[in-house]
């Protein structure tokens, strides 16, 4: 994707259309533990491993038709 506004091939529109990008954090195994100890573990995991930037999903949304598509490239730790 290059230029502004960002363009991406939309499968629904069948052409290059302007898109917006959104990064969403994947859930962690620590997210399910709602106890006080679980919250402390989640906070420690976030600070130590950079959890707010680590393990993200990239989604692109077509500005013409509104179709949202997961668009991850490459491998983890690349």
């Amino acid at each position: 994707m290059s230029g502004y506004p960002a363009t991406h091939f939309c499968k629904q529109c069948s052409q290059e259309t302007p898109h917006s990008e959104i990064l969403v954090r994947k859930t962690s195994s620590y997210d399910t533990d709602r106890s006080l100890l679980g919250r402390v573990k989640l906070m420690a995991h976030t600070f130590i491993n950079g959890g707010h930037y680590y393990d993200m999903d990239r989604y692109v949304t077509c500005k013409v038709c509104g179709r949202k598509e997961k668009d991850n490239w490459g491998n983890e730790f690349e």
Side-chain angles (χ1 to χ4, degrees):
M1 295 176 77
S2 64
Y4 183 81
T7 61
H8 187 76
F9 183 80
C10 180
K11 294 175 185 174
Q12 188 167 335
C13 298
S14 299
Q15 62 183 350
E16 289 280 327
T17 57
H19 276 67
S20 60
E21 300 177 18
I22 300 171
L23 293 175
V24 178
R25 185 178 69 89
K26 293 180 185 176
T27 58
S28 168
S29 60
Y30 299 110
D31 288 337
T32 57
D33 191 1
R34 297 290 181 198
S35 67
L36 181 60
L37 182 60
R39 291 175 190 251
V40 170
K41 286 180 186 178
L42 177 61
M43 187 175 70
H45 178 265
T46 302
F47 285 129
I48 292 170
N49 295 326
H52 50 289
Y53 294 113
Y54 175 73
D55 217 10
M56 304 280 274
D57 280 329
R58 177 178 175 260
Y59 290 92
V60 291
T61 305
C62 179
K63 292 185 177 180
V64 176
C65 67
R67 183 173 189 268
K68 185 176 180 181
E69 177 182 357
K70 189 176 189 178
D71 191 41
N72 290 341
W73 290 16
N75 296 324
E76 190 175 12
F77 306 116
E78 192 170 59

